[in-house]
Amino acid sequence: MSETRHRPDWTPLRLPAADHSFFLAGGPELATTDPTTGETVAVLATSTPADVEELVGRARHAFRTARWRNDGAIRARVLFRYAEALRADVDRLATLLTREQGKTIGEARNEVLSSAEMVEFYAGMARTLYGRSIALGDHAHGVVLREPIGVVGIITPWNWPLVLLVRALAPALAAGNACVVKPASLTPAVTVEALAPLAADPDLPDGILGCAVGSGGVTGDALVGHPDVHMIAFTGETGTGVGVMKRAADDLRKVSLELGGKSPNIVFADARMDKAVEGALNAVFTTTGQICTAGSRLLVEESVREEFVGRLAERTRALRLGDPLDPSTQIGPVVSRGQQREVNDYIELGRKEGDILAAASLPDDLPEGAFVAPTLVGGLARDSRLVQEEIFGPVLTVQGFADEDEAVALAEDTEFGLAAGIWTTDLDRAWRVGRAVSAGTVWINTYHHFYGEAEVGGFKKSGLGRQQGVEGIAEFTETKHLNFDSSPTLW
Ligand code: NDP
């Protein structure tokens, strides 16, 4: 692709840079690729198991010896400064994110700014991790404390590489832990660049933050298998998460797992149709469908099905695909050629097993990248792979239901339980269905709104534990009871 107004020529980054001492990498090089153009975005050295060993050793030492774990004020200051540094660098980081991941530049900016907000939320909590005191008898006193766990390994996926990083990293650090991060191999450069200002903070003790880049099977496995990594915070596919949990089980180390989804988005006949159509588009096509909470199963009440799907099809066909660095683009490429092939295979299967109800048109001037046309598929059996498996691309399956009971039954017909959407003007029904659906987040007359204050996480095969909110910091702590006998004969 030749240079355009939105896409100035690019010189690949070479990492680690000389001042990136938190990123140890003595292994072979890894190059990342812009999914829009095929250009090289960055060339990074990878971290060997010996590098992981060294990073974990440094983290363990820093955790044991530095003031960090006992000084919430320092942790708050460091994290507040980090939030500001992310904000100040939004243009550069967002551009790098779009080049490495393929998401639209508007979404990339939003991701950087949301990350800053998340860090700020936990910066505040660094000073409010209160315990309790309990009067247990005449001379018996209890103090219950929240203490950091130790060294936390954080493993992230490529779809929202910054938000999903900081929603584990910020609470883990705020609680006083040391962290070693292993980013996804498709998006390591933006991760390293986003970590750099935190690592450079003069009040962050050496070793409290480390980063290891490399494949999941080698670098990730070295981190997960290390006995001095006391907890793994993993975000990624369910199958990978199960493997991580099994590996950590040998030493009974703690895991928090944020995994896949196949979320139902349920539209009742009484819903405000305009809002529900826009909501359904946003639910499934955000990040070109590569979002764990994607509302990728549309369930629509039969009496409005034809009208609703007709309107949705019209809006889908009109979606603007293009260069994600162009601010007018609505849908960028998927993350890689491999992902493009996988998603297109699902669309082909949908064509065989059901009906293609609509597909966005690919403009003539579309770059030669990993683009996939957003597609609606109907007429599928309940056990079709398209209905049951996480596609992680811009594909929406459409199913009809006759009444509320059937809506809930279809919504529940999945092994996942990450999120759900409900569109209705009946408050009683919203409450009933919201309670009946097994999902960590249920959006009612909205979709994809996230808040640092509110927990997220999965029921069923979508995960274990919660991130964000108050529970999100509690995950990175152990509870300790200090029990005092104050009998006069003892003091
Ligand atoms: P993967 O499970 O393939 O990879 C996630 C991370 O795990 C990557 O850093 C990967 O490294 C690493 N990894 C892979 N194998 C191992 C291993 N054996 N040991 C340790 N680490 C390993 O997921 P994707 O990156 O493909 O991300 C997409 C998935 O993430 C989807 O299923 C999506 O639903 C889920 N997700 C869940 C979220 C949630 O909040 N519930 C949020 C966002 C995404 P490498 O990149 O080198 O392979």
Side-chain angles (χ1 to χ4, degrees), residues 295-362:
S296 52
R297 289 187 296 140
L298 177 70
L299 310 180
V300 56
E301 194 160 354
E302 286 294 358
S303 57
V304 293
R305 176 175 170 158
E306 200 177 321
E307 182 199 346
F308 188 85
V309 173
R311 286 163 74 167
L312 189 63
E314 198 179 314
R315 291 284 287 111
T316 301
R317 287 189 200 99
L319 288 170
R320 245 186 340 269
L321 277 77
D323 182 346
L325 284 175
D326 177 343
S328 69
T329 292
Q330 293 174 301
I331 304 283
V334 293
V335 72
S336 66
R337 288 286 188 188
Q339 191 72 8
Q340 181 190 35
R341 275 190 298 277
E342 278 183 31
V343 178
N344 279 333
D345 285 349
Y346 276 108
I347 294 174
E348 274 317 300
L349 185 64
R351 202 182 302 282
K352 283 190 200 128
E353 290 188 351
D355 311 310
I356 303 294
L357 303 174
S361 50
L362 304 180

Side-chain angles (χ1 to χ4, degrees), residues 391-421:
I391 297 175
F392 228 55
V395 180
L396 179 66
T397 63
V398 179
Q399 295 166 277
F401 63 83
D403 56 23
E404 192 178 304
D405 286 346
E406 194 185 5
V408 171
L410 286 174
E412 288 292 276
D413 188 14
T414 171
E415 62 182 8
F416 296 108
L418 195 57

Side-chain angles (χ1 to χ4, degrees), residues 261-490:
K262 189 74 183 176
S263 302
N265 194 19
I266 311 169
V267 178
F268 287 97
D270 63 3
R272 294 194 187 279
M273 286 298 144
D274 290 349
K275 302 283 184 211
V277 168
E278 293 311 309
L281 282 175
N282 162 45
V284 68
F285 296 138
T286 295
T287 324
T288 316
Q290 304 160 113
I291 184 162
C292 50
T293 45
S296 52
R297 289 187 296 140
L298 177 70
L299 310 180
V300 56
E301 194 160 354
E302 286 294 358
S303 57
V304 293
R305 176 175 170 158
E306 200 177 321
E307 182 199 346
F308 188 85
V309 173
R311 286 163 74 167
L312 189 63
E314 198 179 314
R315 291 284 287 111
T316 301
R317 287 189 200 99
L319 288 170
R320 245 186 340 269
L321 277 77
D323 182 346
L325 284 175
D326 177 343
S328 69
T329 292
Q330 293 174 301
I331 304 283
V334 293
V335 72
S336 66
R337 288 286 188 188
Q339 191 72 8
Q340 181 190 35
R341 275 190 298 277
E342 278 183 31
V343 178
N344 279 333
D345 285 349
Y346 276 108
I347 294 174
E348 274 317 300
L349 185 64
R351 202 182 302 282
K352 283 190 200 128
E353 290 188 351
D355 311 310
I356 303 294
L357 303 174
S361 50
L362 304 180
D364 293 340
D365 61 352
L366 195 64
E368 286 266 307
F371 288 88
V372 175
T375 303
L376 311 187
V377 191
L380 295 162
R382 275 171 81 151
D383 62 355
S384 159
R385 286 182 52 213
L386 269 84
V387 175
Q388 293 298 331
E389 296 177 9
E390 183 182 45
I391 297 175
F392 228 55
V395 180
L396 179 66
T397 63
V398 179
Q399 295 166 277
F401 63 83
D403 56 23
E404 192 178 304
D405 286 346
E406 194 185 5
V408 171
L410 286 174
E412 288 292 276
D413 188 14
T414 171
E415 62 182 8
F416 296 108
L418 195 57
I422 301 171
W423 298 85
T424 179
T425 46
D426 179 337
L427 183 57
D428 281 344
R429 167 182 280 158
W431 177 254
R432 269 194 315 272
V433 178
R435 295 295 312 276
V437 172
S438 312
T441 302
V442 181
W443 283 290
I444 295 156
N445 291 335
T446 183
Y447 209 99
H448 276 155
H449 280 134
F450 295 97
Y451 305 87
E453 294 86 337
E455 282 73 8
V456 297
F459 284 45
K460 303 197 274 186
K461 287 194 180 173
S462 287
L464 275 185
R466 289 294 179 271
Q467 290 193 334
Q468 301 180 196
V470 179
E471 287 186 36
I473 193 165
E475 289 278 343
F476 294 100
T477 64
E478 292 277 17
T479 304
K480 180 181 283 176
H481 174 205
L482 287 183
N483 183 246
F484 295 83
D485 186 334
S486 63
S487 305
T489 51
L490 291 170

